[in-house]
Amino acid sequence: MKGLTEKQIQKVEELLSRMTLEEKIGQMNQAATSLVGGFDVPFEELIEMMTDGRISKEEFEKIMSTAEQDFHEDEIRSGMIGSFMVQDPVKANELQKIAVEESRMGIPLIIGLDVIHGFRSVYPIAIAEAGSFDTDLFERTASMAAKESRAAGVAWHFAPMVDVARDARWGRVSEGPGEDPYLGSEFARAKIRGLQGDRSSTENYVAACLKHYVGYGAAESGRDYNTVSMAMHQFYNNYLKPFAAAVDEGAMTVMAAFNDLNGVPCTVNEFLLRKTLKESLGFPGFVVSDANAIRECVVHGIAEDEMDAGIQAALAGMDMDMGTSIYVKNLKAAVEAGKVPVAVIDEAARRILSVKMWLGLFDNPYVSEEAMKRYETLPDSHRALALEAAEKSVVLLKNEGSVLPLKKEARISLVGNLAQSREEIIGAWAMSWQEKDCVPILQGMEETFPNLKYFPCGGPEGDISMNEVIAAGDWGDVIVAVLGELVSMSGEASSKADITIPGRQRELLEMLMHTGKPVVLVLMNGRPLALEWEYNYVPVIVEAWHLGIEMGHAVARVLSGEKNPEGRLSSSFPALTGQCPVYYNHMNTGRPGSKSKFTSRYLDAPLGSLYPFGYGLSYTTYEYSDLKVAETEDSLEVSVKVSNTGERGGRETVQFYMQDVTATLVRPVKELKAFRKVELEAGETKTAAFTLPKKEMGFYDNDGVYRLEDGLFRIYAGGSSKDCLMEEVRIKF
Ligand code: BGC
């Protein structure tokens, strides 16, 4: 494995040579704390219930404090557990001590957790952060999360999630970088660098886990865990791409997805795990199943019983079992019966031990006292980074009449329950944040705008108080309505068949519009929403997602103009839910949608998305000119001029797309090939350029063969996937 010294490789081999079969299988087992007592739900589900909002953090903590917990100490002592999920550093040290000092082989545990968008310093959910198009930012936030979690004993993040996701009904769109494989790949690479890159001390890095391998984002009808069928060219060109990029960047672990791909669950899919990931891509690390997924192969109808599921998974190349104990219970017998070659077990154990070695766990298994205290108070630099990420992720969708930015002295009526919430700014899958660190929108707005009145009035759930609206009478100069989704409405197991603003918030918005005051709609949500009504009637729309602990300050700074918005959409927004999936990089049909009847369109929906991928306004305007495409032997040199034609400085996200106009397979109408962030003063013009190597102009066919085909190509440059200049070029490879 790359990154290990000769001596470390030898140490792994030496350990393997002394381990019993059971001990090797023990390394392949990941466990978590279970609760003992009269509880109906397993611990993993309790965690899920807390993360998806079914129970509050307080309720969760109460259950935890009264429940007796089983940390499986005896199994750790006997070498039957190789990995554990635990959040408390004191407990982590205790369990680690048993593994290191009391088990026969003394092999440390690898402690893993879902650290998806921050640990203590929670920053924006991935779909939002990806919209900053800022790879340096992606890297820095990941590095911050690595340091914070490692100081709590967590050396392995179940992140980044790099599932290409094009169906906004799927709740997990919130967790990943959106619909585009190129942006997804850049995000994936940067996250790997951030999580794993700083190896100057074992306290600075963790092992990343790419998930969910693969195709999970293409779940049929956007329903979580649903079946996935796709042509192999889609698989290679789109869904595999971010995984391949991250493996190339050095990702240490991969988590297999729950779904089946073309009929075979990813958990037991030899083509995916062994052939594609390990053999073709050369992935050196280990693969872990998703939670309980090996057992679920029985329900899938692909395995007869747990033993069968375990055998299939091991043979397919699944190195670690998350949560079922099927490996520890069955694999020894399976080896003895000749159903699983011992080489399969050796390979899995070798991969797992190598990652532990790479993490430095053999030399430094414990969290020091000093490290545990390091983040008791959040360092200013971490808070500043959370703010930077939050600000850069805000997308200005509409600003009719230039209502924004608001003057500091404006009389503002702030409306909506979400504005005062600390928990709802955090987003799905955040586990280690502390309420005291969270800045709700109300706080940020109060600090910025002295003439502010607050009316909760209602939110995504329950009733809204119209009386409060009516009684208010004086609405000041402008209404800022903070509406959207609860955290529990996106993330795992949170698919929706209607993705308009939930509950009675639309009615509230209508009432507010009737006051005759300008309404600024600030959206807080975890997925693209269907905003046709809002697009038609509300003058100002700000997409603020779930931005993390600094959300309040970020929103206030954007609304006041202290920060010129620069975020873009990493996923297209439909007008109506029924258009899902809608994404910019779709294939062409023989009858592209148009005004004519016999074209690819809906009778009752607009053509295409409402807000496309790459879209986002700012408080200034940009103009593009002079797109040039010059051919060299190996590449295309592409450049475009960008001018700031407005009255203030800003950062524009210049996007370069390509279309392969004629090929032996139908190709997308546009594919993102590069992006550049360009800082421009008012009136300034700069040239943005990139080199497109010719070898990157091809595509994979259905057999996974990469093809470079001569012919006509279109090169686009612009400020969104819809709004571009175009040049044609004929290429002979
Ligand atoms: C999710 C994974 C997560 C795992 C462990 C599963 O339900 O699909 O994304 O990493 O649980 O918590």
Side-chain angles (χ1 to χ4, degrees):
M1 176 187 278
K2 241 177 37 199
L4 289 189
T5 61
E6 251 332 290
K7 217 165 138 208
Q8 287 173 318
I9 295 170
Q10 273 168 21
K11 170 103 196 271
V12 168
E13 293 308 319
E14 186 268 326
L15 285 169
L16 280 170
S17 71
R18 288 194 291 118
M19 287 165 83
T20 63
L21 179 60
E22 286 100 317
E23 283 166 338
K24 289 175 195 165
I25 295 170
Q27 287 301 308
M28 298 166 71
N29 183 31
Q30 182 184 72
T33 324
S34 7
L35 294 189
V36 189
F39 300 102
D40 293 337
V41 289
F43 175 70
E44 292 88 347
E45 200 180 331
L46 258 187
I47 295 218
E48 268 181 45
M49 287 169 78
M50 193 248 313
T51 26
D52 69 18
R54 278 177 283 165
I55 55 171
S56 67
K57 202 164 176 250
E58 291 71 46
E59 283 168 316
F60 174 80
E61 271 157 12
K62 200 163 151 214
I63 296 175
M64 292 296 286
S65 64
T66 52
E68 220 181 289
Q69 297 174 37
D70 181 356
F71 290 98
H72 304 277
E73 288 93 341
D74 288 343
E75 287 142 274
I76 295 174
R77 196 169 286 117
S78 60
M80 290 303 104
I81 292 177
S83 171
F84 208 84
M85 280 196 227
V86 63
Q87 211 172 335
D88 167 20
V90 176
K91 198 73 212 173
N93 273 353
E94 263 173 54
L95 300 179
Q96 199 65 287
K97 195 161 191 295
I98 298 175
V100 172
E101 293 179 20
E102 298 176 36
S103 77
R104 194 183 76 90
M105 291 301 299
I107 297 171
L109 297 164
I110 175 168
I111 293 176
L113 213 63
D114 288 284
V115 184
I116 308 299
H117 51 111
F119 193 70
R120 269 293 300 285
S121 310
V122 178
Y123 52 85
I125 54 174
I127 191 174
E129 194 194 16
S132 70
F133 281 73
D134 188 332
T135 49
D136 174 59
L137 177 73
F138 303 157
E139 188 173 329
R140 285 184 290 130
T141 49
S143 167
M144 171 170 76
K147 292 187 175 101
E148 288 184 6
S149 84
R150 193 92 197 230
V154 178
W156 181 23
H157 289 191
F158 304 142
M161 169 173 139
V162 295
D163 292 308
V164 171
R166 294 166 164 184
D167 194 328
R169 293 171 296 179
W170 191 48
R172 303 197 82 168
V173 291
S174 62
E175 295 173 51
E179 73 190 31
D180 183 71
Y182 176 77
L183 177 59
S185 300
E186 292 298 295
F187 180 89
R189 282 184 183 279
K191 289 295 175 195
I192 300 305
R193 291 195 297 272
L195 294 176
Q196 300 190 166
D198 180 0
R199 294 187 65 211
S200 53
S201 139
T202 51
E203 296 195 334
N204 290 344
Y205 69 101
V206 295
C209 183
L210 298 173
K211 69 186 192 184
H212 305 83
Y213 182 74
V214 53
Y216 189 32
E220 195 173 285
S221 58
R223 187 155 51 77
D224 208 359
Y225 315 121
N226 206 5
T227 187
V228 175
S229 290
M230 67 170 73
M232 292 314 284
H233 69 93
Q234 285 282 9
F235 166 78
Y236 288 113
N237 292 311
N238 297 317
Y239 291 86
L240 184 64
K241 234 175 184 157
F243 290 91
V247 168
D248 182 57
E249 198 68 49
M252 277 293 152
T253 79
V254 169
M255 184 185 294
F258 282 125
N259 56 280
D260 75 274
L261 182 79
N262 299 334
V264 184
C266 298
T267 310
V268 293
N269 197 318
E270 191 179 351
F271 164 75
L272 291 179
L273 304 184
R274 214 175 270 295
K275 297 263 159 31
T276 305
L277 182 65
K278 293 182 175 175
E279 287 171 19
S280 301
L281 299 179
F283 170 66
F286 71 83
V287 184
V288 62
S289 76
D290 204 338
N292 304 321
I294 297 184
R295 180 176 300 128
E296 288 164 17
C297 288
V298 179
V299 190
H300 267 294
I302 206 90
E304 207 164 306
D305 51 25
E306 294 193 350
M307 163 78 109
D308 185 17
I311 293 172
Q312 289 194 40
L315 291 177
M318 176 64 72
D319 303 306
M320 188 182 278
D321 166 11
M322 183 188 282
T324 71
S325 307
I326 287 177
Y327 276 2
V328 268
K329 286 186 192 146
N330 297 287
L331 281 189
K332 181 167 179 261
V335 171
E336 283 164 359
K339 291 184 176 158
V340 173
V342 78
V344 167
I345 309 295
D346 282 344
E347 184 214 318
R350 177 177 292 113
R351 285 172 180 267
I352 294 164
L353 292 178
S354 302
V355 173
K356 290 183 176 184
M357 195 64 78
W358 177 86
L359 278 167
L361 288 171
F362 285 90
D363 296 327
N364 295 302
Y366 305 117
V367 187
S368 68
E369 293 274 322
E370 192 272 318
M372 276 188 219
K373 293 207 186 98
R374 194 172 301 148
Y375 301 112
E376 265 171 14
T377 311
L378 222 47
D380 289 346
S381 58
H382 287 210
R383 191 172 271 295
L385 182 53
L387 174 62
E388 180 191 336
E391 286 180 352
K392 286 182 168 172
S393 304
V394 175
V395 189
L396 179 61
L397 295 178
K398 187 177 176 193
N399 190 16
E400 204 174 270
S402 297
V403 173
L404 294 183
L406 300 173
K407 293 203 170 62
K408 290 252 167 95
E409 61 279 11
R411 292 181 307 130
I412 295 174
S413 298
L414 182 68
V415 177
N417 285 347
L418 287 174
Q420 62 188 333
S421 170
R422 286 172 195 275
E423 333 192 343
E424 297 301 333
I425 62 177
I426 287 300
W429 279 116
M431 289 170 142
S432 305
W433 54 280
Q434 296 186 8
E435 208 166 288
K436 66 174 166 44
D437 295 330
C438 297
V439 180
I441 293 183
L442 174 60
Q443 183 187 329
M445 292 291 285
E446 276 175 345
E447 284 169 16
T448 309
F449 300 100
N451 301 316
L452 182 127
K453 279 203 251 172
Y454 178 51
F455 306 95
C457 288
E461 276 188 319
D463 218 348
I464 54 171
S465 161
M466 296 296 187
N467 288 342
E468 206 180 333
V469 180
I470 293 159
D474 178 13
W475 287 95
D477 303 322
V478 60
I479 296 172
V480 175
V482 180
L483 307 179
E485 295 186 319
L486 297 174
V487 165
S488 57
M489 292 172 177
S490 62
E492 188 174 353
S494 305
S495 294
K496 293 191 77 190
D498 174 3
I499 58 164
T500 53
I501 297 182
R504 297 185 61 201
Q505 297 178 97
R506 169 81 57 78
E507 285 171 59
L508 175 58
L509 205 47
E510 278 182 58
M511 294 274 303
L512 297 173
M513 300 287 297
H514 278 123
T515 62
K517 300 288 176 188
V519 173
V520 175
L521 170 60
V522 175
L523 289 167
M524 200 185 205
N525 47 292
R527 60 155 56 72
L529 296 171
L531 295 175
E532 189 183 46
W533 187 90
E534 292 74 11
Y535 171 87
N536 286 333
Y537 300 109
V538 184
V540 183
I541 310 176
V542 178
E543 177 52 77
W545 306 108
H546 296 298
L547 292 179
I549 55 170
E550 278 291 318
M551 179 152 191
H553 289 143
V555 167
R557 280 172 53 80
V558 167
L559 296 190
S560 70
E562 276 169 81
K563 168 72 192 170
N564 192 358
E566 60 176 275
R568 301 304 168 102
L569 295 181
S570 63
S571 295
S572 303
F573 277 40
L576 303 165
T577 309
Q579 290 175 294
C580 290
V582 64
Y583 49 97
Y584 86 95
N585 42 359
H586 59 85
M587 298 296 178
N588 225 343
T589 68
R591 294 182 175 191
S594 75
K595 282 190 184 133
S596 311
K597 179 165 170 63
F598 295 101
T599 63
S600 186
R601 55 179 287 221
Y602 296 103
L603 289 178
D604 53 357
L607 292 173
S609 60
L610 186 69
Y611 292 115
F613 174 85
Y615 172 85
L617 304 172
S618 80
Y619 298 145
T620 185
T621 45
Y622 302 101
E623 257 176 43
Y624 284 74
S625 61
D626 226 359
L627 171 60
K628 287 202 178 104
V629 182
E631 190 180 345
T632 70
E633 198 178 327
D634 306 321
S635 65
L636 297 186
E637 300 300 326
V638 183
S639 67
V640 70
K641 282 191 179 149
V642 196
S643 308
N644 181 342
T645 49
E647 278 159 21
R648 58 173 291 174
R651 270 178 109 210
E652 167 69 337
T653 305
V654 180
Q655 300 154 52
F656 295 100
Y657 297 87
M658 182 195 94
Q659 182 189 9
D660 184 349
V661 182
T662 316
T664 49
L665 284 178
V666 177
R667 302 296 304 133
V669 295
K670 265 184 201 137
E671 308 171 54
L672 185 66
K673 284 290 177 189
F675 52 84
R676 297 279 181 271
K677 300 283 282 195
V678 182
E679 188 104 39
L680 290 163
E681 292 304 321
E684 197 182 5
T685 297
K686 279 185 183 162
T687 299
F690 93 106
T691 300
L692 176 58
K694 283 187 184 165
K695 62 178 184 336
E696 287 174 19
M697 295 175 75
F699 61 90
Y700 289 93
D701 67 14
N702 281 308
D703 298 320
V705 176
Y706 190 72
R707 303 172 76 108
L708 285 165
E709 295 182 347
D710 298 350
L712 186 66
F713 289 81
R714 293 194 180 122
I715 303 294
Y716 301 84
S720 86
S721 59
K722 218 174 200 166
D723 190 13
C724 291
L725 301 177
M726 189 267 286
E727 281 291 314
E728 290 190 337
V729 49
R730 214 162 256 290
I731 304 287
K732 238 178 141 23
F733 291 102

